[in-house]
Amino acid sequence: MSFVPELKHVCDCLAEEIKGWAAALGIETEYSDPVLGEGGRYEWADSLRKSCDWAQRMAGSLLTAQGKADLAEDLKRRLEELYAFADGYEQRLDAMEGQRRVHVEEIVARYRQAFDDEDPDAARLWRLCQGIQRIWTFGFDSNELEMPENFAEAIDRALFEEDGAKRKAQAEMQRHAREFAEHLRVLASVEIEKPAVQQAAAVENKPETKKRGKRGPNRMPLKQAWRYLTVVQEWAGIQERNQKLPMRDRVQKVQVAEKLGITVRELDAMLGWYAKYRGQGRFPDDPRTLSRGELEKWFE
């Protein structure tokens, strides 16, 4: 008899893989080892896919086996979005490095034009370069480059600006990864170990009273349930609009949470709440089709 891991354990493993990848994420596209004479390219997006592969497939299989194919599909979609963002991160690094190379080539060309006879190999120029840690001494907005030291600082400035832009992109990528890992934690905590069929059967067999009518097992007040639903409905509309936008222009959870005056953790909890009842067959796939009157069937 083969061992089948618990869904919570698999979700936790997937979350840890994503958090570990985010922690190790760098800003370089290539690496080299002069001692071993080896080098290559950092495949950031591909490494994320490989590290998540087992846990992603296992979580999808377990959710489907528990009658929660909609949650399995949602998990797959969210991961594909994260992979696409990682692909975009690599492309942004390439673009930033390309822009820096072109800018530096322009500076070197101007230097050669001014000092070619005195420094035909531009050796003095490169000796004067100190990298992004230098102490700046001239105004960078000025196009007047006169001394060799000015040209060297202009090259260092190009490297400094590239480093800053890369670190900003890195922080954005890490935030997306960590938010998704947090979503997995919430998913693992919202009674995902109970098969949806057994949950629905337990509710159907529960005796009803005229005073209470049908309602969810958590006995949430209608006012609170309606608040949850309106948040989920707004997020559903944003997701639909996001599909038509490039990745960099999409509205993120943190923006929605700030707008609604809640935390990302609370937003994920509300989405998990809706997903649970949808998995039980009570709520429709599109939360925007659920009215307050229909919600009263399940909540006081």
Side-chain angles (χ1 to χ4, degrees):
M1 181 177 180
S2 60
F3 170 74
V4 178
E6 294 182 352
L7 184 55
K8 184 180 187 305
H9 172 72
V10 175
C11 287
D12 287 341
C13 287
L14 183 55
E16 287 301 321
E17 290 289 357
I18 293 173
K19 288 173 62 178
W21 176 85
L25 184 65
I27 61 174
E28 302 299 331
T29 59
E30 296 180 350
Y31 66 90
S32 62
D33 189 331
V35 177
L36 299 178
E38 297 178 349
R41 180 179 175 85
Y42 287 111
E43 302 289 349
W44 298 115
D46 189 53
S47 67
L48 176 62
R49 289 184 173 91
K50 289 180 179 178
S51 62
C52 295
D53 180 64
W54 175 85
Q56 177 186 356
R57 289 185 290 105
M58 181 59 70
S61 298
L62 291 172
L63 285 168
T64 302
Q66 293 182 9
K68 301 176 182 177
D70 55 335
L71 288 181
E73 189 62 31
D74 180 71
L75 177 62
K76 179 181 178 182
R77 178 184 59 77
R78 288 172 182 269
L79 272 169
E80 289 300 329
E81 289 179 354
L82 185 64
Y83 296 154
F85 204 91
D87 287 328
Y89 174 71
E90 281 193 42
Q91 294 166 11
R92 291 171 70 183
L93 293 184
D94 285 331
M96 292 171 194
E97 291 183 359
Q99 291 172 359
R100 183 259 305 160
R101 280 193 294 268
V102 170
H103 185 38
V104 170
E105 287 172 1
E106 292 175 352
I107 296 171
V108 173
R110 292 174 61 185
Y111 176 84
R112 289 185 182 280
Q113 186 177 7
F115 299 98
D116 187 57
D117 292 339
E118 301 176 27
D119 190 15
D121 298 325
R124 175 176 54 178
L125 171 64
W126 296 114
R127 283 198 303 269
L128 291 171
C129 291
Q130 300 175 20
I132 65 175
Q133 303 300 329
R134 77 150 56 239
I135 298 175
W136 310 104
T137 61
F138 79 99
F140 302 115
D141 293 333
S142 173
N143 290 321
E144 297 298 327
L145 301 177
E146 299 179 352
M147 302 298 293
E149 291 81 2
N150 300 147
F151 287 91
E153 287 197 24
I155 291 175
D156 290 340
R157 174 67 175 183
L159 295 171
F160 178 80
E161 291 177 344
E162 177 197 16
D163 182 79
K166 280 183 171 182
R167 293 192 182 282
K168 183 178 179 180
Q170 178 193 41
E172 187 178 357
M173 181 71 249
Q174 289 173 326
R175 177 174 59 81
H176 279 282
R178 287 165 181 158
E179 283 182 358
F180 184 75
E182 185 62 29
H183 166 74
L184 288 169
R185 300 288 192 195
V186 174
L187 178 64
S189 66
V190 184
E191 298 186 68
I192 57 178
E193 295 303 330
K194 298 180 181 179
V197 175
Q198 293 180 3
Q199 290 183 345
V203 172
E204 290 176 1
N205 295 330
K206 185 177 180 179
E208 300 177 3
T209 64
K210 293 183 178 180
K211 291 183 179 180
R212 293 193 310 225
K214 294 183 292 182
R215 59 181 170 183
N218 288 339
R219 301 175 181 243
M220 180 184 291
L222 176 61
K223 182 178 180 180
Q224 184 179 358
W226 178 244
R227 166 63 174 162
Y228 275 37
L229 179 60
T230 56
V231 172
V232 175
Q233 288 174 336
E234 179 160 352
W235 176 245
I238 290 172
Q239 281 188 304
E240 185 176 46
R241 293 192 294 274
N242 278 346
Q243 297 302 317
K244 303 175 183 178
L245 298 174
M247 186 64 68
R248 64 177 179 275
D249 296 330
R250 294 183 179 181
V251 179
Q252 306 300 324
K253 280 185 179 179
V254 64
Q255 297 169 277
V256 178
E258 289 175 359
K259 174 185 174 183
L260 298 175
I262 59 178
T263 65
V264 174
R265 183 189 293 270
E266 289 172 329
L267 175 57
D268 278 331
M270 293 176 183
L271 297 175
W273 167 84
Y274 189 88
K276 179 180 69 172
Y277 286 101
R278 184 182 60 187
Q280 295 174 3
R282 302 189 200 175
F283 289 172
D285 290 337
D286 189 343
R288 293 168 295 180
T289 63
L290 182 61
S291 67
R292 186 184 180 96
E294 293 172 312
L295 199 64
E296 290 180 357
K297 299 177 181 179
W298 306 103
F299 302 92
E300 288 184 342

